[in-house]
Amino acid sequence: MIYMDNAATTIQKPDEVKAAVTAAFDSMGNAGRGASQPSLDALRVIYDTREKLAHLFNGGNAKQIVFTANSTESLNIAIKGIFEKGDHVITTVLEHNSVLRPLYECEKQGVELTILGCDGKGNISYEEMEEAVRENTKAVVCTHASNLTGNMIDLKKVGEITERYGIWLVVDASQTAGVYPIDVEKLHIDILCFTGHKSLRGPQGTGGMWVREGVRIRPLLSGGSGIDTYNPSHPTEMPTALEAGTLNGHGIAGLGAALSCLERMGMDCIREKELSLMRRFYEGVCQIPGVKVYGDFDTGRRAPIVALNICDYDSSEVSDALSEEYGIITRPGAHCAPLMHKALGTIEQGAVRFSFSHYNTEEEIDLAISAVENLSCE
């Protein structure tokens, strides 16, 4: 199998991640539920992982790191927890449904929504973003990189706009956490949502958010917290305020190990290899007759993703052929990015997405190029 669906989830995990999860099954109790050794062991592992994440994002106080099951949960907590009727929010057509659907729900409840369009290569206009700011604008909610095209939004420019107008910046870093350095202070980010199972190379069922001190989010859930039991209201102190119930301690142990591996290997080295593989693939397929590639490849700053179509073939048929005939795993269809497909004119056909990991090799890239060329001639 040649696995090229890393934008959905990474399959290959460091051995240390597997070992940490296995060890956690034998040692971890329920963090914050008593002073027994298993409970304290869990508490230490979870807090250590908070500190690693706070360091990774330059987020300062580790208590501002909240654990969730994935980016979808993080984004739902953020979006449903900060907006009220009469607020205005700005977002983009690049967004995943994890952003769009919660915003549509907020819109039904009286939140005003502006969705910025894009050009033919899938890039947004920052001038249009600034022009969209109103007196009642509360936040910009945007992805860091499109999960379909790999195009990146310039968070520095967005942060300058939000800082200038005194509004919040909520970022979906699903495709970039672990690939690009994200400094929440320099980029003026107020809420950063991330998942653990993609480029951070942690287990599925892990994710989280960093919340700037002073930003208040209404909790999506309330219930057991291990503290302040006789209070009829859920605690307001972070991170407990947004972490009702038992955490996925076993998964968080694996995520902590993955973060240690990331620091040891070096994010820059990993990114350079992934982008090199992506560029090799792009240059190999973009000149093949009948192949159309989507996104902006004039810049080197992008996620390691290439989405394409072959002639008028349905993307699912192409993806199936790649898997069955060549053992190459890709992602066809709509990719939970409906507005991006509408902008690209690919609603009916979908697209075949190749997304790369540093575990991939140049030999695999060349095989994938040959497979695309063979299918384009059929």
Side-chain angles (χ1 to χ4, degrees):
M1 180 181 71
I2 299 175
Y3 188 79
M4 294 182 172
D5 193 19
N6 293 279
T9 194
T10 56
I11 282 185
Q12 292 112 326
K13 311 289 186 184
D15 290 339
E16 294 93 327
V17 174
K18 303 170 189 176
V21 174
T22 301
F25 278 121
D26 293 329
S27 64
M28 286 179 65
N30 201 328
R33 272 64 168 180
S36 67
Q37 193 61 49
S39 179
L40 292 175
D41 287 345
L43 189 66
R44 292 188 187 99
V45 169
I46 290 171
Y47 190 76
D48 180 62
T49 305
R50 288 192 208 278
E51 288 192 314
K52 290 176 181 177
L53 287 164
H55 176 71
L56 179 67
F57 300 128
N58 191 31
N61 188 351
K63 290 184 178 181
Q64 298 307 115
I65 294 289
V66 175
F67 286 114
T68 66
N70 44 52
S71 288
T72 298
E73 184 178 351
S74 299
L75 288 161
N76 271 264
I77 291 171
I79 292 169
K80 295 176 180 178
I82 64 173
F83 295 115
E84 299 176 352
K85 182 178 180 179
D87 288 339
H88 173 239
V89 56
I90 301 168
T91 192
T92 80
V93 297
L94 280 69
E95 308 308 317
H96 190 278
N97 271 336
S98 297
V99 170
L100 295 174
R101 285 175 172 165
L103 285 176
Y104 291 148
E105 292 178 26
C106 288
E107 190 176 30
K108 291 178 181 177
Q109 298 169 3
V111 174
E112 299 172 16
L113 177 61
T114 295
I115 302 176
L116 301 177
C118 65
D119 62 20
K121 291 187 175 181
N123 294 314
I124 66 167
S125 165
Y126 301 97
E127 290 76 15
E128 289 181 8
M129 177 178 286
E130 186 161 9
E131 290 170 359
V133 176
R134 307 174 187 171
E135 288 187 4
N136 62 332
T137 302
K138 189 166 189 177
V140 172
V141 181
C142 68
T143 188
H144 192 188
S146 166
N147 74 310
L148 174 57
T149 65
N151 287 10
M152 291 181 66
I153 286 180
D154 189 335
L155 292 182
K156 185 175 185 295
K157 290 183 179 179
V158 177
E160 289 170 352
I161 294 171
T162 58
E163 182 78 358
R164 185 156 52 246
Y165 290 92
I167 57 181
W168 289 345
L169 173 56
V170 181
V171 174
D172 173 7
S174 299
Q175 297 298 332
T176 54
V179 181
Y180 282 89
I182 300 173
D183 188 319
V184 293
E185 292 299 333
K186 289 183 179 179
L187 297 173
H188 306 294
I189 296 170
D190 295 286
I191 303 174
L192 180 74
C193 300
F194 59 90
T195 195
H197 68 101
K198 297 186 182 183
S199 291
L200 290 178
R201 296 176 301 152
Q204 293 181 356
T206 62
M209 55 199 300
W210 173 85
V211 182
R212 181 176 297 281
E213 292 189 53
V215 173
R216 293 295 178 184
I217 301 175
R218 294 185 302 276
L220 189 65
L221 302 174
S222 59
S225 60
I227 62 170
D228 208 8
T229 295
Y230 296 103
N231 187 343
S233 299
H234 195 73
T236 57
E237 64 185 72
M238 291 287 282
T240 310
L242 302 177
E243 287 182 348
T246 298
L247 295 174
N248 176 12
H250 305 123
I252 292 169
L255 179 59
L259 291 165
S260 295
C261 291
L262 180 65
E263 183 174 8
R264 185 185 71 250
M265 295 177 66
M267 187 187 303
D268 292 345
C269 292
I270 293 172
R271 181 179 64 255
E272 286 172 9
K273 181 177 180 183
E274 291 180 350
L275 292 179
S276 175
L277 294 172
M278 177 215 68
R279 183 64 61 177
R280 185 183 185 96
F281 179 77
Y282 167 73
E283 292 175 352
V285 299
C286 67
Q287 301 299 324
I288 296 174
V291 172
K292 183 172 183 179
V293 179
Y294 304 96
D296 185 358
F297 289 85
D298 293 334
T299 173
R301 188 172 174 80
R302 51 177 293 107
I305 292 170
V306 178
L308 58 81
N309 275 315
I310 300 175
C311 302
D312 59 353
Y313 300 152
D314 183 85
S315 61
S316 294
E317 294 179 359
V318 173
S319 187
D320 286 347
L322 287 167
S323 176
E324 294 168 6
E325 299 176 26
Y326 302 95
I328 299 170
I329 307 303
T330 59
R331 169 80 184 275
H335 312 88
C336 303
L339 299 185
M340 196 73 253
H341 276 283
K342 183 177 181 180
L344 297 174
T346 52
I347 290 179
E348 296 300 325
Q349 190 177 15
V352 183
R353 184 185 68 191
F354 295 76
S355 48
F356 307 101
S357 162
H358 74 282
Y359 286 109
N360 290 125
T361 65
E362 290 186 350
E363 290 75 18
E364 290 177 338
I365 296 298
D366 293 341
L367 284 170
I369 293 169
S370 296
V372 171
E373 185 171 21
N374 291 342
L375 291 174
S376 72
C377 299
E378 293 180 0

